[in-house]
Amino acid sequence: MSDGSKDEGRSALKTLGIGGAVVVGFAAIASLLGSPAGTPEEKAARQADVVKAEQKAEEDKEASLAQAKEREAEVALVWYNRIISISEACDSSTSELQTQFEDIGNGSNVYTIYETARTTRDKCGEAWKAYESLEAPSEFSGELRDKATETSEACASAFFAKRQFADIAMEIADGDQRPSKVAEGVDYAKAGGAGVMLCVASAMETATLAGADLSDISPKTD
């Protein structure tokens, strides 16, 4: 290279702000990249730290999942008790009405039956609407949420049938004692009873799926 070319090269380096220090810098980087990253003992210590960090992360993840599952089970138990408690007033009134209804035409007091039927209709109507509006807990997800929704729907259908039985019992007590009307009332009573069993069984299955302990609970199936 001529002296002129050397001068032009140095001039270009100066213009770009690049000097001999850059050459030294590149050499240093190359040296670092080519050198071992610490002693074998230091490498082993770093690797051990990485393993410990990974183990800690996994333990934290498992603990978080366990806490979430425990919370889900607690919520499921509260939800299950809510499912059962919604039905109590209707179930109690329906049992009384069924006893009176079976004696209709055998000297039973139709006025008493009418009043019991009206009370039952109102209470079962409230239960029906409560089940219709009961949403799955926000802690539930996936299959568990679907099961909770199915339970609410099954319970709503059961208590609608109970409400209809009570409504027909009112008509019968009010004088419409045609065999067809009585048969319709009996059909609704049976549908309501079977529906309640499905409602409770579905609620138990859902709560158990969530991990809730129902061993000490004896649900009503009236």
Side-chain angles (χ1 to χ4, degrees), residues 1-22:
M1 178 181 292
S2 66
D3 291 340
S5 297
K6 290 179 181 180
D7 291 340
E8 289 177 3
R10 283 195 293 271
S11 177
L13 288 174
K14 289 179 180 179
T15 301
L16 293 173
I18 302 174
V22 174

Side-chain angles (χ1 to χ4, degrees), residues 54-90:
E54 291 176 345
Q55 290 176 340
K56 181 65 165 58
E58 186 63 26
E59 289 171 359
D60 289 345
K61 180 181 177 181
E62 291 177 358
S64 179
L65 290 173
Q67 289 176 355
K69 189 64 179 175
E70 183 178 350
R71 174 60 180 162
E72 193 174 68
E74 292 173 353
V75 171
L77 186 58
V78 173
W79 172 85
Y80 175 81
N81 287 329
R82 174 61 178 156
I83 287 286
I84 300 303
S85 66
I86 288 174
S87 71
E88 289 178 351
C90 171

Side-chain angles (χ1 to χ4, degrees), residues 88-111:
E88 289 178 351
C90 171
D91 287 339
S92 177
S93 190
T94 299
S95 294
E96 182 180 359
L97 177 60
Q98 286 177 323
T99 299
Q100 295 174 1
F101 188 76
E102 290 171 358
D103 290 334
I104 196 167
N106 296 323
S108 56
N109 189 323
V110 292
Y111 299 103

Side-chain angles (χ1 to χ4, degrees), residues 5-209:
S5 297
K6 290 179 181 180
D7 291 340
E8 289 177 3
R10 283 195 293 271
S11 177
L13 288 174
K14 289 179 180 179
T15 301
L16 293 173
I18 302 174
V22 174
V23 178
V24 174
F26 282 134
I29 292 172
S31 176
L32 287 173
L33 291 176
S35 64
T39 65
E41 291 77 8
E42 290 172 336
K43 288 182 178 179
R46 283 197 295 272
Q47 184 61 35
D49 288 341
V50 170
V51 172
K52 288 179 181 179
E54 291 176 345
Q55 290 176 340
K56 181 65 165 58
E58 186 63 26
E59 289 171 359
D60 289 345
K61 180 181 177 181
E62 291 177 358
S64 179
L65 290 173
Q67 289 176 355
K69 189 64 179 175
E70 183 178 350
R71 174 60 180 162
E72 193 174 68
E74 292 173 353
V75 171
L77 186 58
V78 173
W79 172 85
Y80 175 81
N81 287 329
R82 174 61 178 156
I83 287 286
I84 300 303
S85 66
I86 288 174
S87 71
E88 289 178 351
C90 171
D91 287 339
S92 177
S93 190
T94 299
S95 294
E96 182 180 359
L97 177 60
Q98 286 177 323
T99 299
Q100 295 174 1
F101 188 76
E102 290 171 358
D103 290 334
I104 196 167
N106 296 323
S108 56
N109 189 323
V110 292
Y111 299 103
T112 300
I113 294 176
Y114 184 88
E115 287 303 316
T116 302
R118 182 164 62 179
T119 298
T120 302
R121 180 198 60 185
D122 293 344
K123 292 185 180 301
C124 292
E126 290 173 2
W128 163 47
K129 291 178 181 178
Y131 284 123
E132 278 203 322
S133 62
L134 184 64
E135 298 182 354
S138 59
E139 290 84 355
F140 290 2
S141 61
E143 180 185 5
L144 192 57
R145 174 173 286 275
D146 293 340
K147 284 295 300 178
T149 300
E150 289 176 9
T151 298
S152 296
E153 292 173 353
C155 294
S157 295
F159 285 84
F160 173 77
K162 284 198 164 196
R163 180 199 176 281
Q164 292 303 98
F165 163 63
D167 201 43
I168 291 172
M170 285 178 65
E171 295 180 31
I172 293 172
D174 203 28
D176 186 359
Q177 298 185 13
R178 292 173 297 162
S180 59
K181 180 62 66 174
V182 174
E184 185 180 6
V186 170
D187 287 343
Y188 272 118
K190 290 180 178 178
V196 169
M197 293 181 67
L198 177 61
C199 165
V200 174
S202 182
M204 292 182 70
E205 183 179 354
T206 302
T208 301
L209 181 63

